[in-house]
Amino acid sequence: MDKELVYDRVAGSLLAGAAGDALGYAIEFSSWNEICRAYGATGITSYKFSRASGKALVSDDTQMTLYTAAGALAYASVQRDVFDLGALRAALYDAYLHWYRTQDSSARFASSQAYWLDAIEELHSLRAPGNTCLSALGSGTCGTTTSPINNSKGCGGVMRVAPLGCFGRGLTSDQVALSGAEASAITHGHSLGYIPGATSALLVHKCVFRETPRAFDELAHEAVDETLRLFASAPHIEEFAALMRRTFELASSGRDDRACIDELGGGWVGEEALAIALYCALRWRDDLDRCLVAAVNHSGDSDSTGAIAGNLLGAYLGRGRIAAKWLDRLELRDEIERIARELTDAATASDERKLILD
């Protein structure tokens, strides 16, 4: 598979995710009425720039997404040929502890890794970090899907998993889905806190590594169906299935976006955040601008729904389809593009080794 095409899609996912995050971060805790009073009847449609830096600031969602990538890359650097979910989980947990230390400089833990992300000043800024992520990582215990650390289904688990769909081209669908679920379960123990992470990572993976023309809705149906099969015996799986069915129905209904999003929820919990993001990506599958705007303009968790929607549709459309207005003055843009390149290198390393051997 062409390496530059992979990079285009990986960078598309991460940059569009950061764009949705930055657009929504300005209104994360605002009601729809408050958004309209501040930005007009159509809501927020362009960045609100920081007076201090002149940048469109990202939230903890993008910060943690970058550390997910760092953990995945640390794993890939030593575990190339055999998938080891436990080793991947350990690498991600270590990376998340590094993020935790950026939020609490007094945090102490043993780590064999040094991440270049740790030196980036912006990553040490507190951008409304989720209480569940902070408390879970501060507990000293790594949660798993089989040994949950709590009963939280907040969206902090799903909003950060996109890189897990980007780095392992040779992984099976089940391996990618399990990666997304276990990454989420490190901090979020409710099944609806980690199952959406499986679907999100898997859909990103299907978009990035598709080798033939595929419709986005077809890939989305596959990702949901495979998640439902993999977690068929999980608690609350029928609730998740019903919400996903309703998401697809609403996306093809032609109804007003805000009415549809309100029906799906506020996005504060994992399954609702995925549902809103997936609805917007399906509804505006050929128009990233309208997808991002729709994904953030509601009374719920705007930055997370914007970030996930951007991750999903950006992986499908690619970096080349991201308008300049979303890239200009986007905080951490250079760092995101560097991470995207490193993920691409990891994803295509097996192809390059094969070419050498051949």
Side-chain angles (χ1 to χ4, degrees):
M1 190 173 184
D2 182 72
K3 187 172 183 177
E4 287 309 304
L5 178 58
V6 174
Y7 172 73
D8 181 64
R9 294 170 179 174
V10 171
S13 180
L14 300 189
L15 288 168
D21 179 21
L23 184 66
Y25 182 47
I27 56 171
E28 179 181 9
F29 300 109
S30 301
S31 69
W32 174 242
N33 287 337
E34 290 170 335
I35 295 168
C36 288
R37 284 198 294 270
Y39 299 98
T42 57
I44 191 169
T45 59
S46 59
Y47 288 144
K48 179 180 179 181
F49 296 108
S50 164
R51 292 182 179 179
S53 68
K55 298 289 185 70
L57 303 184
V58 298
S59 79
D60 62 314
D61 295 30
T62 297
Q63 291 178 339
M64 294 198 77
T65 297
L66 289 172
Y67 274 97
T68 298
L73 289 165
Y75 164 81
S77 69
V78 297
Q79 194 77 31
R80 291 184 178 274
D81 298 318
V82 179
F83 178 67
D84 186 333
L85 185 59
L88 175 59
R89 182 196 303 113
L92 293 170
Y93 180 54
D94 182 77
Y96 292 150
L97 289 176
H98 277 256
W99 170 80
Y100 178 64
R101 189 163 58 191
T102 67
Q103 308 298 290
D104 181 357
S105 59
S106 68
R108 296 289 179 267
F109 60 92
S111 175
S112 60
Q113 291 291 329
Y115 299 110
W116 59 265
L117 293 173
D118 294 343
I120 298 171
E121 182 179 353
E122 292 89 341
L123 291 175
H124 292 257
S125 297
L126 273 65
R127 303 287 172 77
N131 289 330
T132 298
C133 289
L134 293 174
S135 62
L137 294 171
S139 72
T141 302
C142 177
T144 72
T145 58
T146 55
S147 297
I149 193 173
N150 53 38
N151 196 41
S152 174
K153 63 171 185 172
C155 69
V158 62
M159 55 75 168
R160 64 187 190 230
V161 300
L164 297 174
C166 299
F167 85 104
R169 182 190 173 196
L171 299 185
T172 67
S173 291
D174 283 4
Q175 289 169 340
V176 175
L178 288 170
S179 299
E182 290 296 339
S184 301
I186 288 172
T187 55
H188 290 71
H190 193 288
S191 61
L192 295 182
Y194 60 75
I195 290 174
T199 304
S200 183
L202 183 52
L203 181 50
V204 168
H205 183 83
K206 287 178 177 292
C207 290
V208 168
F209 297 109
R210 69 189 191 279
E211 296 198 33
T212 58
R214 302 283 303 279
F216 180 78
D217 60 340
E218 179 185 359
L219 297 172
H221 275 290
E222 280 187 7
V224 170
D225 289 346
E226 290 172 14
T227 302
L228 294 175
R229 173 188 53 77
L230 185 61
F231 292 95
S233 61
H236 307 285
I237 192 64
E238 289 303 324
E239 184 180 340
F240 180 73
L243 184 61
M244 291 296 100
R245 285 194 298 270
R246 189 57 181 151
T247 300
F248 285 108
E249 291 168 356
L250 290 171
S252 61
S253 70
R255 290 174 51 195
D256 174 72
D257 282 339
R258 257 197 351 101
C260 292
I261 290 171
D262 286 347
E263 182 174 333
L264 293 172
W268 300 107
V269 293
E271 76 276 21
E272 292 179 3
L274 176 62
I276 292 169
L278 182 56
Y279 162 84
C280 293
L282 288 164
R283 177 72 176 84
W284 302 109
R285 67 196 70 176
D286 294 314
D287 191 333
L288 183 63
D289 288 14
R290 297 190 74 170
C291 171
L292 296 181
V293 169
V296 305
N297 277 294
H298 56 87
S299 298
D301 195 354
S302 297
D303 61 332
S304 293
T305 54
I308 300 167
N311 290 148
L312 299 179
L313 193 57
Y316 185 75
L317 296 179
R319 186 193 184 284
R321 295 282 296 277
I322 303 176
K325 70 175 185 177
W326 301 122
L327 298 177
D328 294 344
R329 298 166 67 186
L330 174 64
E331 187 182 40
L332 298 175
R333 173 184 170 180
D334 291 344
E335 291 79 5
I336 293 167
E337 292 185 325
R338 175 178 171 180
I339 281 282
R341 180 59 69 184
E342 292 179 2
L343 287 168
T344 301
D345 290 343
T348 56
S350 60
D351 292 342
E352 292 171 352
R353 288 198 304 275
K354 185 175 184 300
L355 286 172
I356 292 172
L357 291 173
D358 289 346

